[in-house]
Amino acid sequence: MTNNNPNQLINEKSPYLLQHAYNPVNWYPWCDEAFEKAKKEDKPIFLSIGYSTCHWCHVMAHESFEDEEVAKLLNRDYICIKVDKEERPDVDAVYMTVCQALTGSGGWPLTIVMTPEQKPFFAGTYFPKQQRYQMMGLFEILTELTKHWKERRDSVEESASKIVKALKDESNSAPTFHRGFNVIHKTDEKKIKEIFQRGKTTFAQNFDEKYGGFGHSPKFPTPHNLMFLLRYHHYEKDETALYMVQKTLKQMYLGGIFDHIGYGFARYSTDDQWLVPHFEKMLYDNALLVIAYLEAYQVYKIDLYRQIAEKVLRYVMREMTSADGGFYSAQDADSEGVEGKYYVFSPGEMRKVLGEAEGNQFNHFFDIREKPNFEEGNIPNLIQNPIFEDDNISFDSKMEENIQKIYRYRLKRTYLHKDDKILTSWNALMLVAFTKAYGVLGKDEYLKTAQACQEFLEKELIGQEEDKLLIRYREGHAAGRGTLEEYAFYIWALTSFYEVTFDTNYLDRAIKLCHSMIDLFWDDKAGGFFLTAKDAEDLIYRPKETYDGAIPSGNSVAAYVLVKLKKMTGSTVIQEICDRQLSFIKQKIEGYPSGYSFAMMALMMDTYPEGFLCENGVCS
């Protein structure tokens, strides 16, 4: 149920917050007003974090936040705050760390209950309204937490304070480095290469021999894992690494995680064979996948990889690019409230659009059956198609023509929600993809697309103070103090521009922003970069992320671009910070190298004298 009167979210720009503006829950954005109200009324904070294309966020919204009974309880006993994780990555990082520490897992929607001083004492993710199977219901949880808040306040506040102390202790646990002293010496190269070897071994132990990828469902593309393995094969001539890369790149494309009609990759697969995706499409996944496929094409000369990369870029240009040149963030999984409905087909539909003979051929080619392969319809895929046993296959002109006919037919369906905010960090990743495509394939349209986006970012997402990046732009309004990711990712994009154009303006801009990044985020005591700037809003602690998840961490990309700029410029300031950053990430990754694949790429670039595809200024 929706409310006729909007809540406090109605004046926000975030598509996610606006989705909840007419909930009966009296939501506030993250703001001083909400925290002051909580203190004045002596109520705990109910914090819900998500994003606009998140399927389970939609489910929890429909079950609970649109429900009058739940809203009545929340409005009576809590001050409720909604946060778009993509607009406030700092808030998300802090409380996701809490959730993972308390529960052993995380995800979205992220559910936190905390004191008015922002100290958490309960964390979880999705909850149904009422208890279901072994999962507690939100109504039950809220009722019990209200009782604890009123009757056991001292215990609640003591627990919350202990959680915050543990977070701060963990954040401050890194060793102290001495200025000007590089703890990585050439004599350490053997130990560093052993880290790379252990990373490769872990990937091999978790490799799915049948369908590629690592581990079991849900299976995420995580392209930087493949980018690391590409480099490991290049430097160490390891055939296992080569096989894992090629098998995974091919199987992902054959499965339904790739949209064979409109192109682009979905966020992850819910099964082992990459058939049934979680249908939302994220800009960052597609950017990193383009980079991975293009690098594989450069190394192995398998034309299928080029075709896949160009299909993804075509998707981005026609569906994810604004008139101003910026790239949108994501497309939803749901259409008419049903996950995947936009993407599935029946055999009869194909015959209706293409005619009997060509429709039957299309159905056979893309595994579209009378008995659906997904709920009420079929996900087009090529998993069982024997012609793709050959890596250098391409579609004939008639099949390409029919794919476009089905694409135009699909466009007439109820259109997917698109999160049309433009994020600096994700746009920077797509800039790397387009500039790399230009460098590898030489097509001017890719460079022009990249230049239009870069000019847009410079015009709209630079703050009033020069070299202060902002997080997001939407409907003529830019906001959000840039985090480490905005700076590190954009510097990567600028160095990529320089590598393919040799225009020193891009290099000069990268150097200037690098110095800003060091000034704003560098931890001179313990090494590494904080996620938030030194003049950013104070949270319960200042996070310093290093783990490479679905997106490489800001610290990993910072290390990567510092190595690049050290080699490109010879700057003593950049060299010193670079060496200390490599020392920092080396100690972070030693225990579990495969969780830091992009960080290992930075170490590789600094360790091996010969270059990988010219990325360190030396071409092999």
XYZ file of all heavy atoms in Angstrom, residues 253 258 263-265 286-297 302-317 430 433-434 436-437 440-441 443 446:
359
model
N 29.393 -16.391 -21.541
C 28.723 -15.887 -22.734
C 27.634 -16.847 -23.210
O 26.539 -16.415 -23.602
C 29.731 -15.656 -23.849
C 29.085 -15.398 -25.187
C 28.383 -14.218 -25.423
C 29.153 -16.340 -26.208
C 27.763 -13.979 -26.638
C 28.543 -16.110 -27.433
C 27.845 -14.934 -27.646
O 27.227 -14.717 -28.851
N 24.318 -13.747 -20.007
C 24.480 -12.818 -21.118
C 23.145 -12.683 -21.832
O 22.482 -13.677 -22.133
C 25.543 -13.303 -22.104
C 25.790 -12.329 -23.233
C 26.570 -11.203 -23.028
C 25.223 -12.522 -24.484
C 26.786 -10.286 -24.056
C 25.429 -11.621 -25.521
C 26.217 -10.497 -25.298
N 21.962 -7.830 -25.484
C 23.380 -7.795 -25.097
C 23.571 -7.251 -23.669
O 22.654 -6.781 -23.028
C 24.227 -7.026 -26.098
C 24.017 -7.445 -27.542
C 24.066 -6.529 -28.584
C 23.725 -8.783 -27.842
C 23.866 -6.920 -29.906
C 23.526 -9.182 -29.166
C 23.589 -8.243 -30.190
O 23.384 -8.635 -31.499
N 24.786 -7.356 -23.207
C 25.097 -6.985 -21.840
C 24.951 -8.177 -20.894
O 24.226 -9.138 -21.178
N 25.668 -8.118 -19.763
C 25.657 -9.188 -18.769
C 24.826 -8.792 -17.556
O 24.862 -7.640 -17.108
C 27.081 -9.501 -18.291
C 27.894 -10.295 -19.268
C 28.650 -9.657 -20.242
C 27.918 -11.677 -19.209
C 29.414 -10.389 -21.145
C 28.677 -12.417 -20.107
C 29.426 -11.776 -21.078
N 29.551 -4.717 -16.495
C 29.748 -4.706 -17.941
C 31.033 -3.994 -18.334
O 31.704 -4.399 -19.287
C 28.517 -4.091 -18.605
C 27.352 -5.063 -18.627
O 27.315 -5.992 -19.439
N 26.400 -4.893 -17.716
N 31.417 -2.972 -17.590
C 32.686 -2.303 -17.864
C 33.858 -3.250 -17.645
O 34.736 -3.410 -18.511
C 32.830 -1.069 -16.972
N 33.886 -3.894 -16.487
C 35.000 -4.789 -16.162
C 35.030 -6.005 -17.085
O 36.114 -6.493 -17.448
C 34.903 -5.219 -14.703
C 35.153 -4.106 -13.682
C 34.684 -4.531 -12.294
C 36.624 -3.715 -13.645
N 33.860 -6.491 -17.492
C 33.824 -7.639 -18.405
C 34.348 -7.264 -19.788
O 35.045 -8.055 -20.428
C 32.403 -8.203 -18.488
C 32.008 -9.078 -17.296
C 30.496 -9.233 -17.202
C 32.674 -10.456 -17.392
N 34.025 -6.073 -20.262
C 34.584 -5.624 -21.545
C 36.104 -5.614 -21.473
O 36.799 -6.088 -22.391
C 34.046 -4.226 -21.919
C 34.859 -3.630 -23.074
C 32.583 -4.299 -22.312
N 36.647 -5.082 -20.383
C 38.104 -5.039 -20.219
C 38.687 -6.443 -20.241
O 39.685 -6.718 -20.926
C 38.475 -4.316 -18.909
C 38.000 -2.860 -18.944
C 39.985 -4.369 -18.681
C 38.019 -2.167 -17.591
N 38.055 -7.375 -19.519
C 38.561 -8.750 -19.458
C 38.509 -9.426 -20.826
O 39.471 -10.095 -21.243
C 37.758 -9.553 -18.438
N 37.388 -9.277 -21.540
C 37.274 -9.918 -22.857
C 38.262 -9.308 -23.860
O 38.839 -10.027 -24.681
C 35.844 -9.805 -23.383
C 34.911 -10.884 -22.855
C 34.022 -10.627 -21.830
C 34.944 -12.178 -23.370
C 33.169 -11.612 -21.333
C 34.108 -13.168 -22.890
C 33.225 -12.885 -21.875
O 32.386 -13.862 -21.380
N 38.461 -7.996 -23.792
C 39.403 -7.373 -24.716
C 40.841 -7.794 -24.417
O 41.633 -8.032 -25.339
C 39.278 -5.850 -24.647
C 38.041 -5.245 -25.323
C 37.930 -3.765 -25.010
C 38.065 -5.472 -26.831
N 41.189 -7.904 -23.149
C 42.529 -8.364 -22.815
C 42.729 -9.802 -23.299
O 43.795 -10.146 -23.841
C 42.760 -8.275 -21.304
C 42.936 -6.849 -20.816
C 43.351 -6.758 -19.354
O 43.297 -7.790 -18.650
O 43.729 -5.655 -18.922
N 41.710 -10.637 -23.112
C 41.816 -12.022 -23.587
C 41.930 -12.075 -25.104
O 42.678 -12.894 -25.660
C 40.603 -12.826 -23.116
N 41.207 -11.198 -25.791
C 41.298 -11.129 -27.250
C 42.705 -10.725 -27.689
O 43.273 -11.297 -28.635
C 40.267 -10.144 -27.785
C 40.437 -9.822 -29.251
C 40.224 -10.800 -30.234
C 40.825 -8.549 -29.670
C 40.388 -10.508 -31.576
C 40.988 -8.247 -31.006
C 40.769 -9.233 -31.963
O 40.939 -8.945 -33.287
N 41.360 -14.834 -30.053
C 40.098 -15.554 -30.269
C 39.024 -14.513 -30.574
O 38.673 -13.699 -29.715
C 39.728 -16.404 -29.043
C 40.761 -17.520 -28.870
C 38.324 -16.978 -29.176
C 40.569 -18.352 -27.607
N 38.497 -14.558 -31.795
C 37.611 -13.481 -32.242
C 36.306 -13.438 -31.467
O 35.676 -12.380 -31.369
C 37.322 -13.621 -33.736
C 36.689 -12.368 -34.303
O 37.326 -11.287 -34.217
O 35.550 -12.440 -34.785
N 35.868 -14.551 -30.913
C 34.643 -14.561 -30.125
C 34.725 -13.547 -28.991
O 33.740 -12.883 -28.669
C 34.384 -15.960 -29.562
C 33.100 -16.131 -28.728
C 31.863 -15.870 -29.577
C 33.039 -17.519 -28.109
N 35.893 -13.393 -28.378
C 36.046 -12.438 -27.282
C 35.829 -11.009 -27.769
O 35.223 -10.182 -27.074
C 37.433 -12.562 -26.650
C 37.751 -13.910 -26.054
C 39.075 -14.336 -25.926
C 36.743 -14.772 -25.626
C 39.384 -15.572 -25.375
C 37.035 -16.009 -25.073
C 38.363 -16.411 -24.956
O 38.659 -17.626 -24.417
N 36.323 -10.711 -28.956
C 36.090 -9.374 -29.535
C 34.610 -9.152 -29.774
O 34.063 -8.083 -29.448
C 36.851 -9.218 -30.844
C 36.575 -7.876 -31.553
C 36.952 -7.902 -33.017
N 36.239 -8.910 -33.786
C 34.979 -8.775 -34.210
N 34.279 -7.674 -33.936
N 34.405 -9.739 -34.909
N 33.949 -10.162 -30.350
C 32.521 -10.034 -30.627
C 31.729 -9.752 -29.356
O 30.836 -8.898 -29.327
C 31.999 -11.313 -31.272
C 32.566 -11.638 -32.645
C 32.044 -12.969 -33.148
O 30.855 -13.265 -33.065
N 32.934 -13.798 -33.672
N 32.054 -10.469 -28.283
C 31.330 -10.303 -27.016
C 31.554 -8.898 -26.464
O 30.603 -8.220 -26.056
C 31.780 -11.374 -26.000
C 31.424 -12.769 -26.506
C 31.140 -11.122 -24.633
C 32.127 -13.897 -25.762
N 32.802 -8.449 -26.452
C 33.101 -7.107 -25.952
C 32.346 -6.047 -26.738
O 31.771 -5.110 -26.163
C 34.606 -6.851 -26.024
N 32.307 -6.186 -28.053
C 31.626 -5.180 -28.877
C 30.111 -5.225 -28.683
O 29.440 -4.188 -28.750
C 32.005 -5.366 -30.336
C 33.477 -5.046 -30.619
C 33.696 -4.518 -32.018
O 33.376 -3.336 -32.256
O 34.171 -5.297 -32.860
N 29.559 -6.395 -28.431
C 28.125 -6.475 -28.146
C 27.788 -5.756 -26.846
O 26.779 -5.045 -26.754
C 27.682 -7.940 -28.078
C 27.595 -8.618 -29.435
C 27.167 -10.072 -29.318
C 27.043 -10.713 -30.692
N 26.618 -12.146 -30.624
N 28.625 -5.926 -25.845
C 28.388 -5.226 -24.574
C 28.477 -3.713 -24.774
O 27.635 -2.956 -24.269
C 29.386 -5.693 -23.490
C 29.184 -4.876 -22.215
C 29.205 -7.176 -23.196
N 29.461 -3.260 -25.518
C 29.596 -1.827 -25.775
C 28.402 -1.291 -26.561
O 27.948 -0.160 -26.321
C 30.901 -1.548 -26.517
C 32.188 -1.827 -25.735
C 33.399 -1.636 -26.632
C 32.286 -0.940 -24.504
N 27.888 -2.102 -27.459
C 26.705 -1.680 -28.220
C 25.510 -1.506 -27.280
O 24.741 -0.542 -27.393
C 26.379 -2.712 -29.309
C 25.199 -2.311 -30.197
C 24.988 -3.300 -31.318
N 23.870 -2.906 -32.166
C 23.417 -3.637 -33.178
N 24.018 -4.786 -33.484
N 22.403 -3.221 -33.900
N 25.356 -2.450 -26.355
C 24.294 -2.346 -25.346
C 24.433 -1.051 -24.552
O 23.454 -0.317 -24.343
C 24.348 -3.563 -24.421
C 23.760 -3.329 -23.052
C 22.384 -3.158 -22.876
C 24.582 -3.260 -21.921
C 21.845 -2.929 -21.620
C 24.053 -3.034 -20.666
C 22.684 -2.873 -20.511
O 22.154 -2.638 -19.269
N 25.624 -0.754 -24.105
C 25.854 0.448 -23.299
C 25.537 1.703 -24.103
O 24.893 2.637 -23.607
C 27.302 0.481 -22.766
C 27.600 1.812 -22.080
C 27.538 -0.671 -21.793
N 25.960 1.741 -25.346
C 25.744 2.944 -26.159
C 24.268 3.172 -26.456
O 23.812 4.316 -26.485
C 26.550 2.848 -27.455
C 28.045 3.048 -27.246
S 28.991 3.226 -28.797
C 28.900 1.560 -29.446
N 33.745 2.423 -17.007
C 33.305 2.290 -18.400
C 34.203 3.106 -19.331
O 34.398 2.733 -20.495
C 31.841 2.691 -18.537
C 31.216 2.332 -19.883
S 31.351 0.571 -20.353
C 30.108 -0.169 -19.289
N 36.923 0.892 -20.235
C 36.466 -0.091 -21.220
C 36.450 0.500 -22.626
O 36.938 -0.117 -23.586
C 35.074 -0.602 -20.838
N 35.891 1.701 -22.773
C 35.794 2.306 -24.107
C 37.166 2.726 -24.641
O 37.435 2.568 -25.840
C 34.833 3.497 -24.079
C 33.404 3.120 -24.336
C 32.512 2.970 -23.289
C 32.945 2.897 -25.629
C 31.189 2.618 -23.517
C 31.619 2.540 -25.878
C 30.741 2.398 -24.811
N 39.991 1.364 -23.886
C 40.695 0.121 -24.235
C 40.175 -0.422 -25.566
O 40.951 -0.890 -26.402
C 40.543 -0.915 -23.133
C 41.388 -2.151 -23.386
C 41.576 -2.968 -22.138
C 42.665 -4.009 -22.332
N 44.002 -3.432 -22.500
N 38.864 -0.353 -25.766
C 38.289 -0.817 -27.031
C 38.847 -0.018 -28.204
O 39.141 -0.578 -29.267
C 36.766 -0.716 -26.981
N 42.495 -1.168 -28.771
C 42.627 -2.525 -29.315
C 42.030 -2.632 -30.705
O 42.601 -3.271 -31.604
C 41.953 -3.542 -28.370
C 41.946 -4.944 -28.980
C 42.662 -3.570 -27.014
N 40.863 -2.011 -30.909
C 40.119 -2.213 -32.154
C 40.208 -1.032 -33.109
O 39.857 -1.171 -34.293
C 38.641 -2.504 -31.825
C 38.412 -3.672 -30.845
C 36.941 -3.782 -30.495
C 38.934 -4.970 -31.442
N 38.469 1.727 -33.389
C 37.219 2.313 -33.884
C 36.988 3.670 -33.229
O 36.876 3.778 -32.009
C 36.052 1.377 -33.618
C 36.131 0.072 -34.404
C 34.863 -0.761 -34.246
C 34.937 -2.036 -35.094
N 33.700 -2.851 -34.971
N 34.342 4.525 -30.395
C 34.613 4.202 -28.996
C 35.356 5.342 -28.306
O 35.060 5.694 -27.159
C 35.395 2.896 -28.886
C 34.638 1.680 -29.386
C 35.305 0.609 -29.979
C 33.250 1.613 -29.274
C 34.613 -0.507 -30.430
C 32.553 0.511 -29.739
C 33.233 -0.546 -30.316
O 32.546 -1.642 -30.774
